Amino acid sequence: MSKNLLIFTSKKNALLLSAFAAVCTLLVSITYVLTAPVIEKQAQQDLLNKLNQVLVPTKFDNNPLENCFRLTDYNIFGDEQQHVIYRATMQDKPYALVFQTQTLKGYNGLIKMMVAVDQKGKVQGVRALKHQETPGLGDKIDLEKSDWVLSFNNMNVTSEQDKNWFVKKDSGYVDQFTGATITPRAVVNQLRHSILYVTLNFNSLFTQENQCEPAPIPVEPVNEPEILIEPEIETQDSALIPEEAASEQTTPEEATTEAKEAENTAPEIVTPEAVTDTPVTNSGETESKTESKTEGTTPENTSTEATKPEIEGATATEVTTPENTGADSKAEDAETDVAKPDAVKAEAESSNTENKPESTSDTAKPADTKPKAATEDAKDEDKAAKVEIAKPEVEAAKPKAEDSSTDEAKPAKAEADKVETKDEEPVTKPAESSDETPSASSDKASDKESDEDSEKDAVDESETPKKEVPND
Amino acid sequence: MTNTTTSEDIVADDHNANEDVSSEVTEKKPNPFTLVDWSTIAKEGLWKNNPALVQLLGLCPLLAVTNTFINALGLGIATMLVLIVSNLTISLVKDWVTKEIRIPVFIMIIASFVTIVELLMNAYTYGLYLSLGIFIPLIVTNCAIIGRAEAFASKNPPINAAFDGFMMGLGFMFILLILGGVREILGQGTLFYGAHLLFGEWANDIELQIFQFDQQFLLAILPPGAFIGMGFIIAGKNYLDNKQLDNQKNKKANKVERARVTTVN
């Protein structure tokens, strides 16, 4: 009897407990559902406020929240996470990039900052978003406590040894606070590095594909797989892969024109004007395209004779698609959207095979330069050498990027920009494998190597604060 | 009428200790509404059994967020809300909850309400939510709340429990505000700094600059300042209590003397 009673009571208890759990969960869920839109709005508002703080309000007229892209780059963000970079434009012309950066070299934990840099590399504004620096000493990096961060406004970073971007203790010109050196040093060093990097790569960053489209996100659930798949392909290459893949796929499979169209229109919604523009801007470069394509296709047991007409066919479809898409672009979008996942997967597979050898060959070059860049951060002596190496690498990318920016001016529409980036990057890439996009992509590849070096750095630098603790 | 039954049930259900307390309350005043001994509960919460000064519960948020008056007020209100609602709920469900599972049920209830409060603060007082940070979810672990649930709400009718929650919350907030105000004045020379985070933009005007420092008084801003301030407040409370005791003794002594005098005369 007592045993039965025990079982009965424990059963009852279990039921009771689960009932309470269910009710509590229900209550919390209801509150969550009710407050979620308000919270989302608050967070957006908060972000917008921060953006408006670092940007000069009169110099841009778009909503930066609707013009952004995601990127993983240690040089900019100071960590290996994916971050969002916002773009501010004035009448569709580039004005500034807004990015977050962070450093662990402060006195107490992570310091997160938000920085806006304009096209000429001028700092528009810097704010400390989050930090736990000593109140009264290191926390003067916070605008609420002191206007120290305003001293960076309108400054340029010219090089890694720019004296304007060192604290006075490191024989620079930046004011350190009384009793605190480590905090401003950490902030200034991180700012100098990331701002210089963003300045040198401004144009290539600005032509990244927009990943923060305004409103119509909730309407089309079909788009979601596309968005999910794209990040798997490296972001820099994502735009160029479809076309090359398309040319490859057509050779073995004799794909129908529908498929071609689908692949051509797959990466973005192509507006007719934009596509008709691109042949004009790329007219000189199509030669290199054909060359590159023959290179790309020859390994696949196809004769050059066979490839050439197909290339013509491919370019032809480019020209013809505007008619189709122009006629019923929206109607077709739906179809192409359905076709996308398969197409993109196939592209991803085929592009993997193609990209791998390239990326490995690419890594060889930056592998020489990059780790040096990382290790030389610590020592002043090596800095000169580093900048010499680092600069040419990035500057080689520069003229290309500028080309793209001048090309941008013609279409003058943001949508057109996307198409151009899509069309141009393939051109630059196969022609000279070690330029712009490859260098950017190889950055990632070499990041792993540079990580090891940066770990060494971290060890070096973690030692220095210990020595200097009395200063703070 | 339902209340009378519940109050009887308490006596029946109360297997645990403290039968004296509940039986005292129920036996003295059978009517459920007069049975609420408001003044006793208020005195207990605000002074005699103040959660911060006497029970010394919830010290972690107390020390961490009292760097400004408004932070203290925000956390005080949040804690008070959770105390009231959780006390009320626990008192309502106490008849169904068996002894074995009461602690998990109490914690579940408290955690749910804290989460709800957190979501509401996130939605409607975003700035304050950011500035209080981790200490809002940490209200769950504020022993003052589970302490009141176990010691009072699970043994008393809902109205009493809710009022007890209110008074305990008020007592807790009272100490938070004193500490927050003193630390803010000493540390930054301001009062009501950041009031707009809680009350909206109009409140920017009520921010006071009492005096200006070149250098902030760090001891007051950092947690040690809260500890020291807390020590002074407790000492002050004990001093007042002792004084009152002395007064009472003196009065008694005086009365006795007079009595003697009168008898002699």
Side-chain angles (χ1 to χ4, degrees):
Chain A
M1 280 302 289
S2 64
K3 214 176 185 182
N4 283 342
L5 196 73
L6 198 72
I7 292 169
F8 176 74
T9 49
S10 56
K11 246 184 187 175
K12 190 188 158 200
N13 283 346
L15 282 175
L16 258 177
L17 205 54
S18 36
F20 271 106
V23 172
C24 288
T25 316
L26 187 74
L27 274 178
V28 172
S29 323
I30 290 172
T31 320
Y32 174 77
V33 169
L34 289 179
T35 53
V38 189
I39 291 172
E40 173 73 11
K41 212 173 144 191
Q42 290 272 19
Q44 289 278 310
Q45 187 61 42
D46 187 54
L47 188 58
L48 194 63
N49 285 346
K50 284 172 185 160
L51 288 173
N52 283 332
Q53 276 187 15
V54 291
L55 291 166
V56 181
T58 53
K59 287 189 182 170
F60 69 102
D61 57 2
N62 72 328
N63 181 0
L65 292 181
E66 291 174 359
N67 188 358
C68 77
F69 58 96
R70 292 177 186 83
L71 197 64
T72 310
D73 195 324
Y74 183 81
N75 285 311
I76 301 177
F77 304 115
D79 68 357
E80 292 296 339
Q81 303 290 313
Q82 197 181 47
H83 290 269
V84 180
I85 295 185
Y86 297 95
R87 285 174 288 207
T89 57
M90 183 67 171
Q91 293 170 348
D92 291 334
K93 284 175 192 163
Y95 155 54
L97 286 169
V98 187
F99 58 94
Q100 283 188 29
T101 186
Q102 60 184 26
T103 177
L104 264 170
K105 295 166 194 166
Y107 195 70
N108 184 17
L110 204 63
I111 304 176
K112 278 190 176 174
M113 294 163 284
M114 183 174 261
V115 188
V117 180
D118 81 353
Q119 202 170 10
K120 290 167 189 164
K122 248 186 193 176
V123 174
Q124 300 300 300
V126 177
R127 291 292 180 279
L129 295 181
K130 201 177 178 187
H131 67 86
Q132 300 152 6
E133 299 303 300
T134 323
L137 295 174
D139 71 344
K140 285 173 187 161
I141 56 171
D142 203 327
L143 186 64
E144 284 190 4
K145 311 283 177 189
S146 119
D147 51 8
W148 180 74
V149 286
L150 298 180
S151 65
F152 295 116
N153 286 3
N154 293 323
M155 275 171 65
N156 277 310
V157 183
T158 51
S159 71
E160 274 285 355
Q161 308 108 314
D162 193 336
K163 290 282 182 199
N164 287 321
W165 291 88
F166 279 95
V167 288
K168 282 178 177 162
K169 211 161 210 169
D170 299 341
S171 64
Y173 300 128
V174 175
D175 276 330
Q176 61 218 25
F177 324 123
T178 334
T181 311
I182 291 170
T183 308
R185 177 187 284 152
V187 170
V188 167
N189 287 349
Q190 181 62 32
L191 286 177
R192 182 184 66 241
H193 188 69
S194 58
I195 291 174
L196 180 67
Y197 191 85
V198 169
T199 306
L200 294 177
N201 295 295
F202 189 91
N203 287 320
S204 64
L205 289 173
F206 219 94
T207 47
Q208 295 273 327
E209 165 184 338
N210 189 2
Q211 295 174 345
C212 300
E213 290 293 341
I217 299 155
V219 188
E220 300 166 312
V222 194
N223 273 347
E224 281 173 15
E226 178 207 1
I227 296 162
L228 285 173
I229 289 164
E230 273 188 351
E232 289 174 16
I233 310 161
E234 288 180 310
T235 47
Q236 280 90 351
D237 298 342
S238 63
L240 62 97
I241 284 161
E243 274 202 4
E244 288 189 350
S247 66
E248 281 180 11
Q249 280 186 349
T250 50
T251 42
E253 295 173 2
E254 294 188 2
T256 58
T257 50
E258 281 182 14
K260 280 181 191 173
E261 284 171 15
E263 282 153 0
N264 281 333
T265 52
E268 287 101 16
I269 300 162
V270 182
T271 57
E273 314 137 327
V275 179
T276 47
D277 276 344
T278 45
V280 181
T281 52
N282 292 334
S283 58
E285 293 159 341
T286 44
E287 291 173 10
S288 62
K289 197 188 269 182
T290 51
E291 285 172 13
S292 66
K293 277 183 181 170
T294 49
E295 285 173 10
T297 47
T298 37
E300 297 190 4
N301 300 329
T302 53
S303 64
T304 49
E305 292 176 6
T307 54
K308 271 184 183 177
E310 276 162 7
I311 294 151
E312 287 172 7
T315 49
T317 50
E318 274 186 9
V319 186
T320 52
T321 42
E323 295 167 9
N324 294 331
T325 52
D328 48 0
S329 58
K330 281 174 190 171
E332 262 195 8
D333 282 341
E335 295 171 23
T336 53
D337 280 347
V338 182
K340 269 174 208 172
D342 303 307
V344 177
K345 273 180 191 171
E347 287 156 17
E349 285 168 16
S350 59
S351 64
N352 279 343
T353 55
E354 205 191 52
N355 274 353
K356 272 177 186 172
E358 276 189 11
S359 60
T360 47
S361 66
D362 287 340
T363 46
K365 287 179 184 176
D368 296 335
T369 57
K370 262 274 161 171
K372 279 179 193 169
T375 47
E376 282 155 7
D377 258 344
K379 294 167 188 176
D380 282 349
E381 301 170 354
D382 297 343
K383 268 179 185 168
K386 178 217 166 173
V387 173
E388 283 175 9
I389 297 163
K391 257 190 171 178
E393 177 199 341
V394 191
E395 277 176 353
K398 229 184 169 182
K400 291 272 164 184
E402 280 171 1
D403 286 350
S404 65
S405 70
T406 51
D407 287 344
E408 264 176 21
K410 290 177 188 173
K413 285 201 174 182
E415 292 164 326
D417 288 356
K418 291 180 214 159
V419 181
E420 277 197 4
T421 54
K422 180 188 106 185
D423 284 344
E424 280 178 13
E425 286 182 39
V427 176
T428 54
K429 188 182 176 182
E432 301 168 44
S433 61
S434 66
D435 268 328
E436 202 182 352
T437 45
S439 72
S441 64
S442 61
D443 279 357
K444 282 183 186 169
S446 63
D447 263 353
K448 287 172 189 171
E449 295 169 353
S450 66
D451 271 0
E452 297 169 4
D453 294 296
S454 64
E455 281 175 12
K456 289 173 198 168
D457 274 353
V459 175
D460 290 347
E461 276 141 7
S462 65
E463 285 171 8
T464 46
K466 279 177 197 165
K467 292 170 193 167
E468 291 159 10
V469 160
N471 288 340
D472 207 290
Chain B
M1 285 308 291
T2 49
N3 278 323
T4 45
T5 54
T6 50
S7 59
E8 282 164 14
D9 285 356
I10 307 161
V11 186
D13 276 2
D14 215 351
H15 308 293
N16 278 0
N18 280 348
E19 278 181 22
D20 306 4
V21 182
S22 53
S23 57
E24 232 179 62
V25 177
T26 46
E27 280 167 16
K28 273 180 189 172
K29 294 152 189 174
N31 186 327
F33 289 98
T34 54
L35 148 162
V36 181
D37 194 356
W38 304 105
S39 67
T40 313
I41 294 176
K43 262 186 202 166
E44 286 277 314
L46 291 178
W47 190 261
K48 267 190 183 170
N49 204 9
N50 187 300
L53 290 183
V54 181
Q55 303 177 50
L56 296 178
L57 297 176
L59 284 189
C60 164
L62 185 99
L63 299 175
V65 302
T66 53
N67 46 3
T68 69
F69 187 88
I70 294 298
N71 274 2
L73 184 62
L75 192 86
I77 291 174
T79 310
M80 191 164 80
L81 276 179
V82 173
L83 252 174
I84 295 172
V85 184
S86 70
N87 262 13
L88 181 66
T89 317
I90 285 164
S91 178
L92 281 172
V93 302
K94 66 179 182 294
D95 298 336
W96 299 317
V97 178
T98 52
K99 200 179 68 180
E100 292 85 5
I101 58 162
R102 68 183 197 287
I103 296 292
V105 167
F106 292 169
I107 289 180
M108 212 142 59
I109 291 172
I110 294 168
S112 311
F113 284 122
V114 169
T115 314
I116 289 171
V117 165
E118 186 194 2
L119 285 170
L120 289 174
M121 288 182 80
N122 192 349
Y124 298 107
T125 58
Y126 191 73
L128 194 68
Y129 168 79
L130 290 185
S131 92
L132 288 180
I134 186 67
F135 292 101
I136 304 173
L138 277 185
I139 294 174
V140 179
T141 64
N142 189 330
C143 299
I145 296 171
I146 186 81
R148 285 330 280 173
E150 173 73 2
F152 195 90
S154 62
K155 299 184 182 91
N156 286 286
I159 302 172
N160 291 26
F163 187 67
D164 177 70
F166 175 66
M167 278 304 159
M168 284 288 163
L170 209 63
F172 188 66
M173 187 163 76
F174 183 57
I175 304 305
L176 279 174
L177 290 183
I178 294 177
L179 259 184
V182 169
R183 284 178 70 191
E184 188 181 346
I185 293 171
L186 290 180
Q188 304 181 20
T190 60
L191 195 58
F192 309 129
Y193 173 81
H196 63 280
L197 299 178
L198 189 57
F199 300 117
E201 284 307 314
W202 64 269
N204 275 326
D205 302 334
I206 67 171
E207 201 176 308
L208 298 176
Q209 185 79 43
I210 293 171
F211 43 86
Q212 289 238 315
F213 302 105
D214 289 337
Q215 197 74 30
Q216 291 177 331
F217 183 45
L218 282 184
L219 182 63
I221 295 174
L222 297 175
F227 256 116
I228 295 168
M230 187 71 189
F232 277 118
I233 296 176
I234 293 175
K237 196 238 171 211
N238 288 344
Y239 173 76
L240 289 177
D241 278 350
N242 287 337
K243 213 176 172 184
Q244 208 182 2
L245 261 179
D246 287 347
N247 280 348
Q248 281 174 354
K249 275 182 189 170
N250 286 340
K251 273 179 189 173
K252 274 182 187 172
N254 285 340
K255 273 179 189 172
V256 175
E257 271 180 26
R258 275 177 201 157
R260 276 180 194 164
V261 171
T262 48
T263 47
V264 170
N265 286 340

